[in-house]
Amino acid sequence: MTTYPVPVTDRRDRARSDAPVRRRPPLARLFLGEREDARWLRPAFWALLALTAVLYLWDLSVSGYANSFYAAAVQAGTKSWTAFFFGSLDSSNFITVDKPPASLWVMVLSARLFGFSSTSLLLPQALMAVGTVALVWGTVRRTLARLGSTTAGVGALLAGLVVAATPAAALMFRFDNPDALLVFLMTAGAYATVRALPRGSWRWIALAGVALGFAFLTKMLQGLLVLPAFGLVYLVAARTSWPRRIVGLLIAAGSLVVAAGWWVLAVALWPADARPYIGGSTNDTVLDLVFGYNGLGRIFGGSGNGGGGGATGGTAGSSFGGATGLDRLFSSEMGLEISWLLPAALIALVLGLVVVGRRRLADPARAGLVLWGGWLLVTGLVFSYMSGTIHPYYTVALTPAIAGLVGTGGALLWHARHRTTGRLGLAAMTGATAAWSWCLLNENPDWLPWLRWLVLAGGLLSAALIVLGSVPQLRRLVAVGVLVGTLCGLTGTTAYAVVTTTVGHSGSIPSVGPSGTSGGMGGMPGGTNGPGGSATGTGDDSSDSSDSGTQGGPGGTPPSGADGGQPPAMPGGTTGDGTTGDGTSASGSGTSLPSDSSDGGSRTGGGMGGGASTSAALEELLRSTDTTWSAAVGGSQSAAQLELDTDTAVMAIGGWSSDPTPTLAEFQADVAAGRIGYYIASGTGGGTGGGMGGGSSTASAIAEWVAANYDATTVGGQTVYDLGAGG
């Protein structure tokens, strides 16, 4: 049985030779391609990877530690293998982050190898961008191989370039959120699925299941949104008997369960008192996290999920996704991050299926369209209508699908350019991209104002040239129009992606585009012209990157009291900044702690996690402790920033999403055993400086107990209680 890709000429008047072709040695084939390939194809592929690497690795530390929540967990993993395994927020293993730990594993290994820094933290993320480009290229090339090596190669190069030039990718592959690994693993699953088709390979479809299993361990159910597309493609396009196809799918399902379930089972069997609390859950189990906070709660709301459009009336341009509906992906920050080539991808999907017509189900090009189209439609519809928490950067998961459709559909329409459908399809893709890019660029009219007009004029002119190519004497205009239209169509998205890489991003909900411009889409449906996040640069490897007070967490509601305003009064008559309700300093009787009222010793992004600062005095105080936790503070974001600033373990009371831990009795026991050095008051009910955890009733009870039994003092502008001084 013949496998593909096979060399097929692009020219219709050249007969295919049945003589065997001598292949190059493996190393030469890796760098130069097959002998039948155009000489420039494989070097162009390597140039694309090199360009992607330069773009994504250049000035990688501009964002500092990016999202301090995950950065602190990586730091903890470099100190404790237990923290590494569970994804603990702190090295003393009090609580985990609110996601499974697969993405942390990769970053921790990098930090252990090169030392913990901004660069070692983000290096794996950037390299995953290069890997994703390569996998998309390989997948598209194989599905298009029967169109000829040149057409397949050009379509694959176009798809890879679209991945690198997508603003959402430029944002998240230089950030420490789990989405980079998620996208890489889903793309690896797509590649393995396509490799399984020629012979119905059980090995390759099993590898696809393994990839999705680890995608589950990266971001849980979101990693399985591509599963229907992969399963359908293998079922209808694998070149083997129907019984073997079904067996192959069962093997893939088993591989997925094993790859995803081993960690879940290990956590379930591990004694609860010997491991950290599972952050985000209500009962300290991974399954509750899967089906609650990180699962159905994301789709339907509830289970600790705020925001979203349907459930809470969130507005586009906010830190959440805006109103639900088909226009959600085109509006607000989502539009700027992902929708540049979305119209072209949808056109390519519909007309590509028309072009393949009545070809057999196992046709590789049809399989490619079904794979990428199913990925785009299922994930896109879920993102459009989910009522729970959704942030604009989630849309990076659509990048490979859009790229694959543009490359696959564009190549099919080019191959059918002798037909009216092919020419009109190419013109429609070009014209729609130009018009939509003008709309997106027009939302930031002060940034490169000439660019949107260049893109619009060039794209519409190219579409006209393609249509004029219908005249027999003007057929050459089709090639000119496609070339110019492709360049113009990629200009807007590429410019926005490049400028995104030059700006430092911090906090939990970063946004794309040039610094100082709005992330909103005031003129788009549902737009409010409000920023979707913050963009701040630190320019070094320190922890100076702060979390904007307007940002929520990695999947939660923005914490109360984190809007930069004066924190409300603490139990005991003090506010979160260490002053009494009338503005006077609260000093503890009988307690002598170092204080620092100068500005010179503070830096942004401190323990408050909401735009406050960690003073040099507070850092020195916590570093001098030898307790299990140097301090306890309300909320994970506050604890995370303190950990980064002081290089100590900090107990995050309530975790990120008001987790019921620790109880007051547990906290009192830890204090009595001398395991906690200080308690830092940082907001309502004992601290909601970052992450919602500090706002729980448990946190309030702890804050009241501490205030009633210990004396408060001010250290660097923050209220601190010495838990070792006796109550």
Side-chain angles (χ1 to χ4, degrees):
M1 182 179 293
T2 304
T3 62
Y4 59 87
V6 295
V8 181
T9 178
D10 286 331
R11 298 187 178 181
R12 295 176 172 274
D13 56 348
R14 182 185 299 173
R16 186 193 309 177
S17 173
D18 293 330
V21 179
R22 186 170 60 88
R23 304 188 73 186
R24 286 191 172 107
L27 187 61
R29 191 164 62 248
L30 176 65
F31 289 98
L32 301 177
E34 301 289 355
R35 295 183 184 276
E36 296 76 20
D37 293 345
R39 292 184 177 181
W40 56 270
L41 276 177
R42 190 56 64 94
F45 163 69
W46 287 107
L48 173 61
L49 295 188
L51 182 64
T52 304
V54 170
L55 176 64
Y56 283 73
L57 290 170
W58 188 267
D59 199 16
L60 187 59
S61 63
V62 68
S63 295
Y65 289 137
N67 189 340
S68 59
F69 181 67
Y70 293 115
V74 173
Q75 182 189 54
T78 63
K79 299 179 178 183
S80 165
W81 285 112
T82 301
F84 167 83
F85 180 79
F86 289 105
S88 300
L89 181 67
D90 61 284
S91 57
S92 294
N93 295 292
F94 170 69
I95 194 169
T96 70
V97 298
D98 63 345
K99 298 291 185 295
S103 66
L104 299 177
W105 291 340
V106 180
M107 290 184 283
V108 169
L109 292 177
S110 173
R112 282 183 174 267
L113 181 62
F114 300 109
F116 180 67
S117 68
S118 172
T119 300
S120 65
L121 176 74
L122 301 177
L123 177 63
Q125 312 292 84
L127 294 180
M128 288 174 201
V130 180
T132 301
V133 170
L135 288 169
V136 169
W137 174 87
T139 306
V140 172
R141 174 177 167 269
R142 285 183 169 273
T143 58
L144 291 176
R146 293 189 177 275
L147 302 185
S149 61
T150 301
T151 300
V154 172
L157 287 172
L158 176 60
L161 184 58
V162 169
V163 173
T166 299
L171 179 67
M172 297 314 297
F173 282 107
R174 289 167 55 92
F175 209 71
D176 55 347
N177 278 24
D179 300 78
L181 181 60
L182 175 73
V183 172
F184 174 78
L185 289 171
M186 291 192 300
T187 309
Y191 177 78
T193 299
V194 168
R195 288 296 302 266
L197 298 182
R199 297 182 182 273
S201 170
W202 291 350
R203 182 187 66 176
W204 279 108
I205 198 63
L207 287 176
V210 170
L212 293 189
F214 277 92
F216 175 88
L217 291 183
T218 302
K219 215 173 177 187
M220 293 193 165
L221 295 184
Q222 186 180 339
L224 304 185
L225 291 179
V226 297
L227 187 60
F230 293 1
L232 178 62
V233 167
Y234 185 83
L235 185 64
V236 303
R239 297 184 182 180
T240 188
S241 64
W242 283 98
R244 287 180 60 86
R245 296 180 195 182
I246 295 174
V247 171
L249 289 179
L250 293 176
I251 291 174
S255 300
L256 189 157
V257 171
V258 172
W262 68 271
W263 183 82
V264 177
L265 180 62
V267 174
L269 296 178
W270 207 293
D273 58 357
R275 60 165 172 79
Y277 185 92
I278 303 302
S281 69
T282 60
N283 59 3
D284 196 20
T285 66
V286 176
L287 290 181
D288 180 74
L289 194 62
V290 171
F291 296 106
Y293 178 67
N294 278 334
L296 300 181
R298 298 280 168 152
I299 298 177
F300 301 110
S303 299
N305 284 274
T312 62
T315 55
S318 69
S319 61
F320 299 102
T324 57
L326 290 176
D327 61 346
R328 179 187 260 186
L329 295 179
F330 294 91
S331 60
S332 187
E333 174 71 12
M334 283 191 177
L336 290 170
E337 293 198 13
I338 200 62
S339 72
W340 297 82
L341 295 171
L342 184 53
L346 294 173
I347 293 171
L349 172 62
V350 174
L351 295 184
L353 291 174
V354 172
V355 167
V356 296
R358 297 183 178 179
R359 296 183 189 179
R360 52 194 173 84
L361 287 177
D363 180 71
R366 186 200 303 276
L369 291 173
V370 172
L371 183 144
W372 299 120
W375 179 335
L376 176 63
L377 294 178
V378 173
T379 306
L381 287 173
V382 170
F383 285 173
S384 296
Y385 286 99
M386 60 188 287
S387 299
T389 301
I390 180 172
H391 299 313
Y393 66 78
Y394 289 8
T395 57
V396 69
L398 299 173
T399 301
I402 292 174
L405 286 174
V406 170
T408 303
L412 284 169
L413 293 175
W414 167 257
H415 196 69
R417 62 192 181 277
H418 62 285
R419 295 162 52 184
T420 301
T421 302
R423 291 191 300 273
L424 292 182
L426 291 170
M429 288 179 65
T430 302
T433 300
W436 185 241
S437 295
W438 183 91
C439 293
L440 293 172
L441 291 170
N442 197 49
E443 293 305 314
N444 288 314
D446 295 331
W447 180 72
L448 301 181
W450 52 269
L451 184 62
R452 65 184 186 276
W453 296 109
L454 175 65
V455 170
L456 180 64
L460 295 181
L461 176 61
S462 300
L465 292 176
I466 296 172
V467 173
L468 288 175
S470 301
V471 179
Q473 294 81 0
L474 301 176
R475 286 287 171 86
R476 294 182 180 273
L477 291 180
V478 176
V480 175
V482 169
L483 177 60
V484 176
T486 301
L487 294 175
C488 291
L490 291 174
T491 297
T493 182
T494 302
Y496 229 75
V498 171
V499 75
T500 297
T501 66
T502 66
V503 179
H505 301 276
S506 65
S508 306
I509 314 172
S511 59
V512 298
S515 177
T517 60
S518 169
M521 295 286 295
M524 311 315 294
T528 62
N529 205 32
S534 70
T536 58
T538 63
D540 57 36
D541 287 1
S542 71
S543 60
D544 292 354
S545 59
S546 65
D547 293 331
S548 169
T550 62
Q551 295 178 346
T557 304
S560 61
D563 58 356
Q566 181 76 5
M570 291 292 301
T574 62
T575 61
D577 63 354
T579 60
T580 61
D582 59 3
T584 60
S585 175
S587 60
S589 61
T591 306
S592 177
L593 296 176
S595 62
D596 181 13
S597 59
S598 65
D599 294 332
S602 66
R603 57 187 182 184
T604 59
M608 295 283 288
S613 62
T614 302
S615 68
L618 184 57
E619 290 184 20
E620 180 182 357
L621 179 67
L622 298 190
R623 287 175 182 152
S624 67
T625 62
D626 58 1
T627 51
T628 304
W629 292 279
S630 64
V633 66
S636 289
Q637 201 78 348
S638 299
Q641 194 63 58
L642 279 172
E643 289 177 14
L644 293 172
D645 290 343
T646 65
D647 198 28
T648 63
V650 178
M651 177 182 288
I653 298 174
W656 185 268
S657 54
S658 299
D659 302 328
T661 185
T663 64
L664 177 58
E666 290 170 339
F667 184 82
Q668 291 171 335
D670 284 331
V671 172
R675 288 190 283 265
I676 307 174
Y678 298 94
Y679 177 85
I680 302 174
S682 56
T684 304
T688 55
M692 299 182 294
S696 67
S697 58
T698 298
S700 298
I702 290 173
E704 292 172 359
W705 178 79
V706 170
N709 290 276
Y710 293 88
D711 295 321
T713 190
T714 301
V715 180
Q718 291 184 272
T719 302
V720 177
Y721 297 84
D722 184 355
L723 300 181

